Amino acid sequence: MAKKSQTNLEQYQDVRLSATTRIWVITVAILGVCVPLSVVTRSGAILPLVAIGGAAVGTVAIWR
């Protein structure tokens, strides 16, 4: 019985790691668009900071 529980726990951790990786890959793509866009719109660092903040909040939510 203990081995079955341990296997379920390992699968659960893999899902969290997979979701975290996906969040940050998408965030890097968004930053690739936001940085030139923030220069054109003269909004400064607001767009990239919002993207990083959203990824951080999502990561915390997944790991809790």
Side-chain angles (χ1 to χ4, degrees):
M1 182 88 173
K3 285 189 176 186
K4 186 175 182 180
S5 296
Q6 187 176 7
T7 304
N8 289 339
L9 181 61
E10 289 172 1
Q11 290 174 352
Y12 179 68
Q13 290 174 348
D14 289 341
V15 171
R16 292 187 304 180
L17 185 59
S18 173
T20 302
T21 303
R22 186 172 289 181
I23 286 173
W24 284 100
V25 165
I26 292 171
T27 301
V28 168
I30 290 171
L31 287 175
V33 173
C34 281
V35 171
L37 188 62
S38 66
V39 171
V40 171
T41 61
R42 296 185 180 147
S43 64
I46 293 172
L47 292 175
L49 287 176
V50 169
I52 292 172
V57 168
T59 301
V60 169
I62 286 172
W63 284 93
R64 286 200 173 214

